[in-house]
Structures are given as structure tokens and as C-alpha cells.
Amino acid sequence: MLTLHHVQVSMPEGREDDARRFYRDALGLDEVAKPGVLAQRGGAWFRAFADDGAVAAEIHLGIDEPFVPAMKAHPALLVESTAALEALAARIEGAGFDVNWAERHTLDGYERFHCRDAFGNRVEVLTPKL
């Protein structure tokens, strides 16, 4: 059996506070300390936890120079309902980030939106359509 441990997303050097503003403050993920020697490389790690305390999602932001944002490749985060999807979109917009609903109903069985982090990387958020 395979499970996904984490997704790595690139960021420019020295902009960890911008990463926190999007991934922690806007998306609501928890920042976790990078272990050992990895902490010396810069960047930041973020996690979402399930109700039972298990890790539900993990995104690592690593320094990439020269930095180029991911315009198509992206992490996709799943929320439990349309109400949660719309609430998260409002939270992201409230934090000053754009939310794009243009593809809301283009993936069979799901509703979704796309947004961009502080560096222009694409992020998708979706929920099963009931």
C-alpha cells in the first residue's frame, strides 16, 4: 500500500514569513519545525491533522534558486463539505489572496477552487459533491 507522505513546493530564499502568511494564516495549516540539518536550508513545513491526531496532509516549502512558481503542478487539499470549501475560500480572500472559482464544477464528483500562494504557486482546494 502506498500513501502520500508530503508534497514539496518551491519558494524563494528568505520569504518564510510570506509562506506562513499563506499556508498557516490563510489555509489554516500548522507549522512544524524542520528536523536537524534540513532546518539550515531554509523554507518551512506545514501540516493538517485529522480529528484523531493523525497527519492528514503535509506540505514542505523548499528554497529553489532561481525560483519559478508552479503554474500548473499543485497540491490539492480536500475539505469535508461545500460549506467548508466556501468558508476556506473566504478565509483565503480575507488574508489578501485571490480565489478562482472558474473551474468549480469541471471535475466530476467534486466542487473546487484554485488559488495561488504568496509566491504564485498554484493550490487547489476541493470537496466531494453530494
Side-chain angles (χ1 to χ4, degrees):
M1 176 178 92
L2 289 176
T3 60
L4 183 65
H5 184 273
H6 70 272
V7 172
Q8 172 123 352
V9 176
S10 296
M11 64 173 277
E13 185 174 11
R15 298 203 35 210
E16 287 79 5
D17 285 342
D18 291 326
R20 290 179 188 101
R21 192 170 60 85
F22 180 78
Y23 289 94
R24 183 191 65 201
D25 301 342
L27 277 184
L29 301 175
D30 293 314
E31 184 174 7
V32 295
K34 291 180 69 174
V37 70
L38 297 179
Q40 300 170 15
R41 299 179 184 173
W45 288 9
F46 300 91
R47 285 185 188 143
F49 293 93
D51 291 339
D52 65 1
V55 175
E58 188 162 330
I59 299 177
H60 297 178
L61 278 91
I63 306 302
D64 207 1
E65 293 294 336
F67 170 73
V68 177
M71 301 307 289
K72 188 161 184 146
H74 61 277
L77 301 169
L78 190 66
V79 297
E80 67 276 4
S81 67
T82 298
L85 184 72
E86 291 172 350
L88 184 54
R91 178 179 173 154
I92 292 167
E93 287 177 322
F97 296 95
D98 291 331
V99 170
N100 183 331
W101 291 97
E103 296 186 52
R104 182 172 187 158
H105 300 289
T106 60
L107 180 60
D108 289 344
Y110 293 89
E111 291 183 73
R112 64 188 179 157
F113 67 80
H114 292 89
C115 56
R116 301 234 174 235
D117 70 9
F119 318 114
N121 294 309
R122 185 180 187 198
V123 175
E124 178 179 354
V125 182
L126 66 162
T127 192
K129 194 185 307 182
L130 302 176

